[in-house]
């Protein structure tokens, strides 16, 4: 999933981001409420993880803004994190539209388990149909099993290759620059002197496209890369 984490405790935030990356999720981090609200309302996330006590704007205010937002943003699942353990605080969060609530201190394994449970309950906005598989042509990507196949043949992808495929597939038809790919897959600032992205694209293409037709991963010279079925 693509997750927005809004957490002002830097050590905890860095630890959670690392753990979520290891599980194959794509994570954007905001360290204050103002930035968190901007990203939450402007990004396309599968899940928001919001701390309640934040500098600038608190997590409940972000939650309320998300639920009042137009379009698909309002339906984004939200998991609240808070040091408050009083019943009325949890009730307020749930009444404001939170899907789950976890009180600090918590076991990281429990947080990851709750995120996994929310991912299994993700729905296509407005349809009520569970999103478990992404498809393009004869490509199928199972988000729960973390498995990709083409024409019924399993693709032997590494964790980073799977994450790269998801970034490209979720934004199919959009040309993604090397900078965007580096930030979303490796959570790093792009260094123009490195060929990290090109190497990863080449390795993914060798498994995704070389043995199959039609080709789905395309290079737009001087611009970036795009997933597209160009037969139509």
């Amino acid at each position: 999933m693509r997750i927005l984490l809004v957490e002002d405790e830097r050590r905890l935030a860095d630890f959670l981001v690392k753990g979520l990356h290891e599980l194959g999720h794509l994570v954007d981090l905001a360290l204050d409420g103002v930035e968190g609200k901007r990203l939450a309302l402007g990004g396309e996330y599968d899940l928001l993880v919001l701390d309640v006590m934040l500098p600038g704007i608190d997590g409940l205010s972000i939650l309320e803004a998300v639920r009042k937002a137009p379009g698909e943003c309002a339906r984004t699942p939200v998991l609240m994190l808070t040091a408050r353990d009083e019943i009325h605080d949890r009730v307020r969060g749930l009444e404001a539209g939170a899907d789950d609530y976890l009180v600090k201190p918590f076991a990281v394994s429990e947080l990851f388990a709750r995120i996994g449970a929310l991912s299994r309950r993700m729905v296509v906005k407005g349809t009520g149909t569970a999103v478990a598989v992404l498809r393009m042509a004869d490509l199928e990507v199972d988000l729960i099993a973390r498995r990709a196949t083409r024409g019924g043949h399993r693709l032997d992808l590494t964790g980073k290759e799977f994450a790269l495929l998801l970034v490209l597939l979720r934004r199919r038809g959009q040309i993604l620059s090397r900078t965007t790919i580096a930030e979303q897959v490796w959570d790093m600032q792009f260094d123009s002197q490195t060929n990290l992205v090109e190497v990863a694209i080449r390795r993914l293409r060798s498994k995704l496209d070389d043995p199959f037709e039609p080709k789905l991963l395309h290079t737009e010279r001087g611009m970036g890369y795009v997933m597209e079925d160009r037969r139509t």
Side-chain angles (χ1 to χ4, degrees):
M1 293 191 295
R2 186 178 179 203
I3 298 173
L4 172 62
L5 172 63
V6 187
E7 169 59 64
D8 64 323
E9 295 181 34
R10 186 66 197 233
R11 291 181 63 185
L12 174 60
D14 289 343
F15 182 75
L16 294 179
V17 168
K18 181 179 179 181
L20 290 169
H21 280 166
E22 290 174 352
L23 291 174
H25 300 296
L26 306 174
V27 186
D28 289 341
L29 172 63
L31 295 170
D32 63 72
V34 175
E35 178 68 1
K37 181 179 178 180
R38 184 186 71 81
L39 290 173
L41 295 178
E44 298 177 357
Y45 295 101
D46 300 307
L47 174 67
L48 307 180
V49 181
L50 305 178
D51 189 18
V52 171
M53 301 299 293
L54 293 165
I57 301 174
D58 65 71
L60 288 173
S61 296
I62 297 174
L63 172 62
E64 290 167 353
V66 167
R67 292 295 180 246
K68 293 177 182 177
E72 296 182 357
C73 179
R75 302 181 185 90
T76 306
V78 176
L79 170 62
M80 303 298 297
L81 304 177
T82 181
R84 296 177 175 177
D85 58 0
E86 294 186 18
I87 296 296
H88 73 269
D89 289 319
R90 280 178 280 174
V91 169
R92 181 186 170 199
L94 294 170
E95 288 181 341
D99 296 274
D100 202 354
Y101 214 102
L102 192 57
V103 177
K104 298 178 181 178
F106 53 81
V108 173
S109 58
E110 181 180 2
L111 172 62
F112 292 166
R114 288 177 183 240
I115 288 174
L118 285 172
S119 74
R120 291 189 289 273
R121 299 205 303 267
M122 282 195 308
V123 297
V124 176
K125 281 68 174 178
T127 68
T129 303
V131 177
V133 179
L134 299 178
R135 294 183 175 88
M136 175 182 282
D138 60 346
L139 170 67
E140 293 191 356
V141 179
D142 188 320
L143 302 178
I144 305 302
R146 292 180 52 76
R147 179 171 60 234
T149 61
R150 276 207 74 173
H153 299 281
R154 182 167 179 172
L155 306 182
D156 184 20
L157 304 180
T158 66
K160 286 300 183 187
E161 289 166 353
F162 188 83
L164 174 58
L165 176 60
L166 279 186
V167 167
L168 292 162
L169 188 56
R170 285 184 182 278
R171 299 175 66 177
R172 68 188 70 187
Q174 299 180 39
I175 299 173
L176 302 184
S177 67
R178 292 184 297 168
T179 300
T180 297
I181 292 171
E183 289 176 347
Q184 295 200 13
V185 178
W186 286 273
D187 191 32
M188 60 180 286
Q189 295 297 314
F190 181 67
D191 181 354
S192 61
Q193 301 303 311
T194 182
N195 64 346
L196 174 68
V197 174
E198 288 88 343
V199 169
I201 289 286
R202 185 164 59 246
R203 290 176 176 170
L204 175 60
R205 182 177 277 139
S206 71
K207 300 175 182 180
L208 173 69
D209 270 353
D210 287 355
F212 304 100
E213 293 291 343
K215 307 307 180 189
L216 301 177
L217 177 51
H218 306 279
T219 301
E220 297 292 337
R221 295 192 179 279
M223 300 174 66
Y225 305 94
V226 59
M227 282 282 290
E228 201 167 47
D229 183 353
R230 295 186 170 176
R231 294 176 300 174
T232 58

